[in-house]
Structure formats: structure tokens, C-alpha cells
Amino acid sequence: MKTFIEYLQEGSVLAPFALAAGMMAGNPQTPPVQAPATKTTQTAPVVDPYAHFGGEQNVKLYRAIVGAEHRGTDIGNPLDYNAGQYIRTRDTTGKSTAYGPVQITKSTAAGFMKTQPDLFKGQEDYVNQYVAQGKSMLGNVKAGDPCGPGGCGTLSDEKYHKPYQQMATGVMRGKMRELKIDDTKPMSPQDRERFVQSWRGVSRQQDPKYYAAIDAAYNEK
């Protein structure tokens, strides 16, 4: 019996019948039938808006400190920009430069960048601007401008929000190193207590409301 290919070469009208017969018999000489091509879709990569914190624990810790520092005020999501976060602790002594969402002083920022520069790579220009702003604020206080709530300071614009958060993360990690807390591992409740006491400068008994705010924000899902 002739194959489908032979009938096709002859131009015979029997070619379709040979094809059908070959397919039924499993004839290997029959041409394969290709399945229609399927379209592939590419999904966009998921972008982590908090990647600059360097880990979930740093995000939780930063969020907790912002919540504690601004408890009782409506600043919305502690991780999002809000001009109300960029305040300086009202100070008429002309000594403190604690500023921003987590209230970092110019000396703290400058000190950690000097002793642990690896935590601030690529951030040097911003930290220098931050220190310069602190010096300017001291002069403003002496001139009668304590700079309280209201988005004050030359670095209170939204474009500086991410750099501030990065700097704050560097300072937090620096404090953890000082306390010999491994920042690559989940922080135990005991280590968190030690960290908060070092950050705040007082114990839980001395400022229970601050610690309660830290606990609530840190454990928030």
C-alpha cells in the first residue's frame, strides 16, 4: 500500500484517504500535527518599597520608634512621608538637635558615620547635610526660634524622606552593634528592651507610655 507521501507526490486524489489510514495505523511516515503556539505572559517583578531598610526587623523597629515618638498625633502610616514627622523636639536651651521621625541628633548621626562608616556608604552627603542643619537649628534656637511641630527644617521635604530612613537605619544598626545584638537575626524581647532603653535613655518604669507605644507598633501586623 502506498504511503500518504507517495500519493501526495503523485498528486493523487487519494492522498487524504492515505493520510487518514496512516494516522489510524500509527504510520510513522505521516507528517506530525503541531499544536498551536501558546502565548507566554511575563509578570512584573514585585518591588519592595521598604528595601532600603535592609530587612523586616529594621522596618518594624523604625515603625515602632516613630509611633512612640509621635504618639497622640495623627501622622498616618509611620513609614510614609508626613511633614508632621519632621519636627524638632521643642527646646529652648539651645542644646538639643533631635529631629525628624525618630528624633536623631546631629552628633549621633555624625558619630556613627565616623565610627561605623560601612553603615552609611552612599549616604555621606545626606548625613553631612543633616549635621549642618542641626548646627543651623542651634543658631535658630538662640535667635528665638525653637522649631516645634510643623514640618520645619531644610530637610523636611518629601524627597529627603527615604535618605532620612536610610540614615536612621544605619544609626539603629550602630546601636545594636554597641549592645552586641546581632542585627541579622530576629530580635528577642529582652534585646528589644535593651535597645529601646539605650535609644530612649530611660527605663520602662521611668517612661511606661513610650514603651507601651513601642510594643504596640512593633507587634502590629
Side-chain angles (χ1 to χ4, degrees):
M1 179 179 178
K2 293 183 180 180
T3 66
F4 164 72
I5 299 298
E6 291 173 328
Y7 277 116
L8 194 63
Q9 289 174 340
E10 295 175 357
S12 173
V13 296
L14 298 177
F17 299 100
L19 174 61
M23 292 175 66
M24 293 178 64
N27 192 333
Q29 298 187 50
T30 59
V33 179
Q34 294 183 347
T38 58
K39 294 182 179 180
T40 58
T41 57
Q42 294 183 342
T43 56
V46 178
V47 178
D48 180 6
Y50 306 125
H52 55 286
F53 282 98
E56 182 182 359
Q57 178 171 265
N58 293 335
V59 175
K60 292 171 63 177
L61 197 56
Y62 176 91
R63 180 181 65 192
I65 296 172
V66 175
E69 293 288 352
H70 300 269
R71 62 189 184 280
T73 62
D74 184 15
I75 59 170
N77 184 343
L79 297 173
D80 293 341
Y81 171 76
N82 185 309
Q85 295 181 14
Y86 285 87
I87 63 172
R88 177 166 173 229
T89 300
R90 190 170 291 280
D91 173 41
T92 57
T93 66
K95 296 179 181 179
S96 176
T97 58
Y99 175 74
V102 295
Q103 295 291 288
I104 296 174
T105 65
K106 70 175 181 62
S107 57
T108 297
F112 276 113
M113 190 171 74
K114 182 179 180 179
T115 60
Q116 303 188 49
D118 62 301
L119 297 176
F120 302 91
K121 285 184 178 179
Q123 275 244 286
E124 294 84 357
D125 287 345
Y126 176 79
V127 176
N128 288 333
Q129 290 182 65
Y130 190 82
V131 172
Q133 175 183 253
K135 292 178 179 179
S136 176
M137 283 181 168
L138 288 179
N140 292 342
V141 170
K142 292 176 182 178
D145 178 16
C147 190
C152 65
T154 57
L155 300 178
S156 63
D157 190 89
E158 185 173 4
K159 66 183 178 181
Y160 297 115
H161 188 54
K162 182 176 177 180
Y164 181 93
Q165 291 178 323
Q166 288 178 298
M167 181 186 72
T169 299
V171 172
M172 290 189 304
R173 293 183 65 200
K175 281 194 173 291
M176 282 187 259
R177 287 183 181 181
E178 285 185 344
L179 296 168
K180 297 185 175 3
I181 297 173
D182 187 349
D183 61 78
T184 66
K185 298 179 180 179
M187 188 181 292
S188 69
Q190 294 78 16
D191 282 342
R192 189 170 77 244
E193 190 84 1
R194 291 196 299 125
F195 174 87
V196 175
Q197 183 164 338
S198 175
W199 186 275
R200 184 65 169 170
V202 296
S203 67
R204 182 179 289 269
Q205 289 70 29
Q206 293 170 306
D207 195 348
K209 291 183 179 179
Y210 186 89
Y211 279 78
I214 288 282
D215 293 340
Y218 189 86
N219 295 315
E220 183 181 342
K221 299 298 183 182

PDB file of all heavy atoms in Angstrom, residues 50-64:
ATOM      1  N   TYR A  50      10.167  49.085  50.935  1.00  0.00           N
ATOM      2  CA  TYR A  50      10.941  49.282  52.153  1.00  0.00           C
ATOM      3  C   TYR A  50      12.286  48.557  52.103  1.00  0.00           C
ATOM      4  O   TYR A  50      12.902  48.298  53.131  1.00  0.00           O
ATOM      5  CB  TYR A  50      10.141  48.805  53.364  1.00  0.00           C
ATOM      6  CG  TYR A  50       8.769  49.421  53.461  1.00  0.00           C
ATOM      7  CD1 TYR A  50       7.619  48.639  53.550  1.00  0.00           C
ATOM      8  CD2 TYR A  50       8.606  50.805  53.433  1.00  0.00           C
ATOM      9  CE1 TYR A  50       6.360  49.215  53.626  1.00  0.00           C
ATOM     10  CE2 TYR A  50       7.351  51.389  53.505  1.00  0.00           C
ATOM     11  CZ  TYR A  50       6.234  50.585  53.599  1.00  0.00           C
ATOM     12  OH  TYR A  50       4.993  51.167  53.666  1.00  0.00           O
ATOM     13  N   ALA A  51      12.741  48.260  50.903  1.00  0.00           N
ATOM     14  CA  ALA A  51      14.010  47.535  50.750  1.00  0.00           C
ATOM     15  C   ALA A  51      15.185  48.311  51.334  1.00  0.00           C
ATOM     16  O   ALA A  51      16.174  47.725  51.783  1.00  0.00           O
ATOM     17  CB  ALA A  51      14.265  47.229  49.277  1.00  0.00           C
ATOM     18  N   HIS A  52      15.071  49.637  51.347  1.00  0.00           N
ATOM     19  CA  HIS A  52      16.186  50.447  51.838  1.00  0.00           C
ATOM     20  C   HIS A  52      16.392  50.317  53.349  1.00  0.00           C
ATOM     21  O   HIS A  52      17.385  50.795  53.877  1.00  0.00           O
ATOM     22  CB  HIS A  52      15.984  51.922  51.473  1.00  0.00           C
ATOM     23  CG  HIS A  52      14.698  52.514  51.937  1.00  0.00           C
ATOM     24  ND1 HIS A  52      13.486  52.226  51.349  1.00  0.00           N
ATOM     25  CD2 HIS A  52      14.416  53.396  52.940  1.00  0.00           C
ATOM     26  CE1 HIS A  52      12.527  52.894  51.964  1.00  0.00           C
ATOM     27  NE2 HIS A  52      13.065  53.611  52.932  1.00  0.00           N
ATOM     28  N   PHE A  53      15.469  49.655  54.046  1.00  0.00           N
ATOM     29  CA  PHE A  53      15.646  49.413  55.473  1.00  0.00           C
ATOM     30  C   PHE A  53      16.560  48.210  55.732  1.00  0.00           C
ATOM     31  O   PHE A  53      17.054  48.029  56.827  1.00  0.00           O
ATOM     32  CB  PHE A  53      14.297  49.154  56.152  1.00  0.00           C
ATOM     33  CG  PHE A  53      13.492  50.393  56.401  1.00  0.00           C
ATOM     34  CD1 PHE A  53      12.484  50.772  55.524  1.00  0.00           C
ATOM     35  CD2 PHE A  53      13.721  51.184  57.511  1.00  0.00           C
ATOM     36  CE1 PHE A  53      11.722  51.905  55.750  1.00  0.00           C
ATOM     37  CE2 PHE A  53      12.974  52.325  57.756  1.00  0.00           C
ATOM     38  CZ  PHE A  53      11.969  52.693  56.868  1.00  0.00           C
ATOM     39  N   GLY A  54      16.726  47.377  54.712  1.00  0.00           N
ATOM     40  CA  GLY A  54      17.625  46.237  54.859  1.00  0.00           C
ATOM     41  C   GLY A  54      17.078  45.090  55.683  1.00  0.00           C
ATOM     42  O   GLY A  54      17.849  44.371  56.334  1.00  0.00           O
ATOM     43  N   GLY A  55      15.781  44.907  55.686  1.00  0.00           N
ATOM     44  CA  GLY A  55      15.212  43.774  56.414  1.00  0.00           C
ATOM     45  C   GLY A  55      13.955  44.131  57.185  1.00  0.00           C
ATOM     46  O   GLY A  55      13.771  45.274  57.602  1.00  0.00           O
ATOM     47  N   GLU A  56      13.087  43.132  57.360  1.00  0.00           N
ATOM     48  CA  GLU A  56      11.796  43.342  58.017  1.00  0.00           C
ATOM     49  C   GLU A  56      11.944  43.835  59.449  1.00  0.00           C
ATOM     50  O   GLU A  56      11.177  44.667  59.922  1.00  0.00           O
ATOM     51  CB  GLU A  56      10.993  42.039  57.999  1.00  0.00           C
ATOM     52  CG  GLU A  56       9.610  42.165  58.623  1.00  0.00           C
ATOM     53  CD  GLU A  56       8.847  40.848  58.645  1.00  0.00           C
ATOM     54  OE1 GLU A  56       9.395  39.833  58.159  1.00  0.00           O
ATOM     55  OE2 GLU A  56       7.717  40.840  59.150  1.00  0.00           O
ATOM     56  N   GLN A  57      12.959  43.316  60.168  1.00  0.00           N
ATOM     57  CA  GLN A  57      13.124  43.716  61.560  1.00  0.00           C
ATOM     58  C   GLN A  57      13.412  45.211  61.677  1.00  0.00           C
ATOM     59  O   GLN A  57      12.879  45.893  62.555  1.00  0.00           O
ATOM     60  CB  GLN A  57      14.264  42.921  62.204  1.00  0.00           C
ATOM     61  CG  GLN A  57      14.519  43.316  63.650  1.00  0.00           C
ATOM     62  CD  GLN A  57      15.484  42.372  64.330  1.00  0.00           C
ATOM     63  OE1 GLN A  57      15.064  41.424  65.000  1.00  0.00           O
ATOM     64  NE2 GLN A  57      16.768  42.615  64.160  1.00  0.00           N
ATOM     65  N   ASN A  58      14.238  45.743  60.778  1.00  0.00           N
ATOM     66  CA  ASN A  58      14.540  47.171  60.802  1.00  0.00           C
ATOM     67  C   ASN A  58      13.297  48.000  60.499  1.00  0.00           C
ATOM     68  O   ASN A  58      13.109  49.085  61.060  1.00  0.00           O
ATOM     69  CB  ASN A  58      15.642  47.500  59.803  1.00  0.00           C
ATOM     70  CG  ASN A  58      16.976  46.900  60.190  1.00  0.00           C
ATOM     71  OD1 ASN A  58      17.228  46.635  61.355  1.00  0.00           O
ATOM     72  ND2 ASN A  58      17.841  46.688  59.208  1.00  0.00           N
ATOM     73  N   VAL A  59      12.460  47.489  59.603  1.00  0.00           N
ATOM     74  CA  VAL A  59      11.215  48.181  59.286  1.00  0.00           C
ATOM     75  C   VAL A  59      10.330  48.249  60.529  1.00  0.00           C
ATOM     76  O   VAL A  59       9.797  49.310  60.878  1.00  0.00           O
ATOM     77  CB  VAL A  59      10.450  47.466  58.141  1.00  0.00           C
ATOM     78  CG1 VAL A  59       9.098  48.128  57.906  1.00  0.00           C
ATOM     79  CG2 VAL A  59      11.269  47.488  56.857  1.00  0.00           C
ATOM     80  N   LYS A  60      10.175  47.125  61.215  1.00  0.00           N
ATOM     81  CA  LYS A  60       9.328  47.066  62.409  1.00  0.00           C
ATOM     82  C   LYS A  60       9.869  47.970  63.515  1.00  0.00           C
ATOM     83  O   LYS A  60       9.114  48.664  64.199  1.00  0.00           O
ATOM     84  CB  LYS A  60       9.237  45.618  62.900  1.00  0.00           C
ATOM     85  CG  LYS A  60       8.473  44.695  61.976  1.00  0.00           C
ATOM     86  CD  LYS A  60       8.597  43.244  62.390  1.00  0.00           C
ATOM     87  CE  LYS A  60       8.003  42.973  63.756  1.00  0.00           C
ATOM     88  NZ  LYS A  60       8.062  41.533  64.110  1.00  0.00           N
ATOM     89  N   LEU A  61      11.197  47.974  63.673  1.00  0.00           N
ATOM     90  CA  LEU A  61      11.798  48.775  64.724  1.00  0.00           C
ATOM     91  C   LEU A  61      11.646  50.265  64.430  1.00  0.00           C
ATOM     92  O   LEU A  61      11.292  51.054  65.318  1.00  0.00           O
ATOM     93  CB  LEU A  61      13.272  48.406  64.860  1.00  0.00           C
ATOM     94  CG  LEU A  61      13.987  48.834  66.135  1.00  0.00           C
ATOM     95  CD1 LEU A  61      13.272  48.295  67.363  1.00  0.00           C
ATOM     96  CD2 LEU A  61      15.441  48.349  66.106  1.00  0.00           C
ATOM     97  N   TYR A  62      11.885  50.649  63.188  1.00  0.00           N
ATOM     98  CA  TYR A  62      11.726  52.053  62.803  1.00  0.00           C
ATOM     99  C   TYR A  62      10.279  52.496  63.002  1.00  0.00           C
ATOM    100  O   TYR A  62      10.012  53.559  63.568  1.00  0.00           O
ATOM    101  CB  TYR A  62      12.145  52.231  61.347  1.00  0.00           C
ATOM    102  CG  TYR A  62      11.941  53.636  60.813  1.00  0.00           C
ATOM    103  CD1 TYR A  62      12.948  54.583  60.894  1.00  0.00           C
ATOM    104  CD2 TYR A  62      10.745  54.002  60.201  1.00  0.00           C
ATOM    105  CE1 TYR A  62      12.768  55.872  60.391  1.00  0.00           C
ATOM    106  CE2 TYR A  62      10.550  55.284  59.711  1.00  0.00           C
ATOM    107  CZ  TYR A  62      11.572  56.212  59.804  1.00  0.00           C
ATOM    108  OH  TYR A  62      11.374  57.478  59.315  1.00  0.00           O
ATOM    109  N   ARG A  63       9.348  51.668  62.521  1.00  0.00           N
ATOM    110  CA  ARG A  63       7.924  51.989  62.652  1.00  0.00           C
ATOM    111  C   ARG A  63       7.534  52.154  64.116  1.00  0.00           C
ATOM    112  O   ARG A  63       6.774  53.065  64.486  1.00  0.00           O
ATOM    113  CB  ARG A  63       7.087  50.878  62.015  1.00  0.00           C
ATOM    114  CG  ARG A  63       5.578  51.102  62.086  1.00  0.00           C
ATOM    115  CD  ARG A  63       4.838  49.940  61.448  1.00  0.00           C
ATOM    116  NE  ARG A  63       5.045  48.706  62.170  1.00  0.00           N
ATOM    117  CZ  ARG A  63       4.710  47.502  61.721  1.00  0.00           C
ATOM    118  NH1 ARG A  63       4.186  47.395  60.512  1.00  0.00           N
ATOM    119  NH2 ARG A  63       4.927  46.425  62.445  1.00  0.00           N
ATOM    120  N   ALA A  64       8.082  51.290  64.978  1.00  0.00           N
ATOM    121  CA  ALA A  64       7.760  51.342  66.401  1.00  0.00           C
ATOM    122  C   ALA A  64       8.272  52.631  67.039  1.00  0.00           C
ATOM    123  O   ALA A  64       7.573  53.267  67.841  1.00  0.00           O
ATOM    124  CB  ALA A  64       8.344  50.128  67.118  1.00  0.00           C
TER     125      ALA A  64
END
